[in-house]
Amino acid sequence: MSYGQQFKIREVPPIVQELVAGGVQEPPGQYVVPEQDRPAAAAVSEIPEPIPVVDLSRLSANSADELAKLQSALQNWDLFLAVGHGMEPGFLAEVTKAVREFFKLPLEEKQKYSNIVDGEKMSSDGYGNDMVVVEHQVLDWNDRLSLLVEPESERAYALWPTQPPSFRDILCEYTVRCRLVANLMLQNLAKLLNLQEEYLTTMLGEKSLTQAIINYYPRCPKPDHVLGLKPHTDASMITVNFIDDDVSGLQLQKNDIWYNVPIVPNALVVNIGDVMEVVSNGLFKSLVHRVVTNAEKERLSLVMFYTLDPEAEIEPVPELVDDKRPRRYGKMKSKDYLAKFFDTYATGKLAIDSMKI
């Protein structure tokens, strides 16, 4: 969702954390995934070969080996694990502590930042969960806090928590440090596409949007009946994901098989989004992924989505279209694509399919 957007919703879903605190023994019907789509129904495998762990400090020093590792990861898995990103374990522990403390606040405190407007619309920023736009929509077993963090001038500070007291400063610092990671990634993706090094960073200019979404996945009494996030791709150029070191749950899909994404302490998970797939004319692919829950532990993630200026057109880069590789995607304004993305996500479809020629 882009800044300032509000969407008409059919209903306000319950807060999942409150359901669990109330001792619910069975997930309510609106969270139960059809049997054929349940986590236990689809084969889930451990990754047959390790997903490459890319050292960003070596990448920034122009290491050809590290660039080759990045290319291999994206060709095979559409994501990679990033270390050497300059964020110390102590700082990342502070980030985790701040977001965990927010979700431990009483409900009435968290509701001060609610994303519900006038009881019938949902804002792009704020605390809540799924946007219910269709009848019989299956809801995700998670609550989230969504905040536009860039451009800084567009931040809706009224929806930024003041508790815990460290929250705002830590999210601001994380935003700055994560942008350095994003820019380095875009420079190296441009190299792999044989474009000018700053081509993609220039495309993601001053009016581009960065949305931070903090996901909280409570314990679930029947984790094989629900999904924390239903299968989807991201409506971003790239996504930078800081996941819980203690609890796994992120899974990727390749050749119709679901794989568990391994946990590497203090690593960031970086994946390709829909915009990059279109811009690269299909040379990079957007990652299909989902999140499963468990009965024993809660799980957290902090995800940064880097998207274009809402008025920018999403289309293949002209340099990547020729007779050997014809244009594979159409053209759409970024704000229109984001709106389509949320509609298709609600119904379990992929928005990227609407762009394919």
Side-chain angles (χ1 to χ4, degrees):
M1 298 182 193
S2 59
Y3 173 72
Q5 280 187 297
Q6 294 180 359
F7 296 82
K8 185 91 171 169
I9 54 175
R10 296 179 67 95
E11 62 182 272
V12 177
I15 296 295
V16 179
Q17 190 175 4
E18 294 301 300
L19 293 175
V20 175
V24 67
Q25 296 299 306
E26 293 268 345
Q30 70 234 78
Y31 294 93
V32 176
V33 177
E35 199 162 337
Q36 70 274 14
D37 298 327
R38 290 179 188 173
V44 177
S45 302
E46 294 306 320
I47 298 235
E49 57 191 58
I51 293 176
V53 177
V54 178
D55 186 335
L56 301 191
S57 64
R58 296 192 69 217
L59 206 57
S60 64
N62 296 314
S63 163
D65 288 346
E66 221 61 26
L67 187 62
K69 203 187 289 185
L70 172 65
Q71 184 170 28
S72 168
L74 296 179
Q75 283 176 344
N76 291 311
W77 299 110
D78 310 320
L79 92 169
F80 68 96
L81 303 170
V83 297
H85 44 62
M87 289 188 247
E88 307 83 1
F91 172 68
L92 292 176
E94 286 182 36
V95 174
T96 301
K97 182 170 182 279
V99 299
R100 197 179 297 279
E101 285 182 1
F102 170 77
F103 284 100
K104 284 182 178 176
L105 294 173
L107 179 62
E108 59 269 22
E109 180 67 25
K110 295 194 290 271
Q111 290 285 29
K112 291 178 182 177
Y113 312 104
S114 174
N115 59 6
I116 303 300
V117 182
D118 301 329
E120 60 178 22
K121 291 180 182 175
M122 184 174 281
S123 168
S124 51
D125 275 21
Y127 167 72
N129 41 37
D130 278 355
M131 182 169 64
V132 182
V133 296
V134 294
E135 197 175 0
H136 308 305
Q137 180 178 329
V138 177
L139 303 183
D140 295 332
W141 191 263
N142 92 349
D143 302 319
R144 57 187 78 104
L145 175 65
S146 179
L147 297 170
L148 184 92
V149 293
E150 291 175 324
E152 191 174 336
S153 61
E154 303 270 10
R155 291 175 180 172
Y157 280 116
L159 293 172
W160 284 52
T162 56
Q163 296 295 326
S166 62
F167 184 94
R168 290 189 176 192
D169 286 346
I170 283 177
L171 183 57
C172 287
E173 183 176 350
Y174 184 81
T175 298
V176 170
R177 297 175 80 165
C178 217
R179 168 59 75 158
L180 297 176
V181 171
N183 285 345
L184 178 63
M185 289 322 311
L186 292 170
Q187 289 163 353
N188 282 277
L189 293 178
K191 284 183 192 175
L192 292 175
L193 293 170
N194 294 316
L195 299 170
Q196 291 288 328
E197 189 172 310
E198 299 302 326
Y199 194 107
L200 299 176
T201 52
T202 301
M203 187 180 287
L204 207 69
E206 290 182 2
K207 293 183 179 179
S208 65
L209 305 180
T210 306
Q211 196 80 18
I213 298 183
I214 303 165
N215 293 295
Y216 176 83
Y217 304 95
R219 293 177 298 104
C220 181
K222 290 197 172 177
D224 55 339
H225 283 55
V226 305
L227 286 168
L229 284 177
K230 58 181 71 70
H232 66 287
T233 56
D234 294 337
S236 61
M237 278 192 81
I238 59 169
T239 301
V240 179
N241 190 350
F242 175 42
I243 59 176
D244 204 315
D245 274 0
D246 296 327
V247 190
S248 62
L250 180 62
Q251 297 181 337
L252 64 83
Q253 188 183 52
K254 207 71 178 168
N255 301 322
D256 297 323
I257 298 172
W258 288 101
Y259 295 98
N260 293 311
V261 176
I263 292 175
V264 173
N266 300 310
L268 302 173
V269 180
V270 183
N271 65 265
I272 297 296
D274 294 350
V275 176
M276 184 63 75
E277 177 171 333
V278 173
V279 163
S280 71
N281 201 29
L283 290 168
F284 294 132
K285 297 294 185 186
S286 192
L287 175 74
V288 178
H289 54 293
R290 69 181 185 184
V291 173
V292 297
T293 64
N294 72 80
E296 306 300 326
K297 287 186 174 182
E298 65 188 16
R299 182 178 178 274
L300 286 165
S301 66
L302 169 52
V303 192
M304 305 289 268
F305 298 92
Y306 293 89
T307 62
L308 298 183
D309 171 355
E311 297 299 327
E313 299 280 4
I314 302 171
E315 62 180 325
V317 170
E319 292 89 333
L320 301 177
V321 177
D322 56 30
D323 291 342
K324 290 183 181 177
R325 192 173 187 84
R327 187 184 179 109
R328 299 187 175 191
Y329 303 86
K331 180 161 104 170
M332 190 181 295
K333 268 196 175 179
S334 181
K335 64 181 181 183
D336 297 333
Y337 188 75
L338 285 167
K340 177 177 280 291
F341 174 84
F342 284 98
D343 278 345
T344 56
Y345 179 80
T347 57
K349 296 175 182 171
L350 300 181
I352 186 71
D353 291 341
S354 68
M355 294 282 287
K356 293 177 180 174
I357 294 175

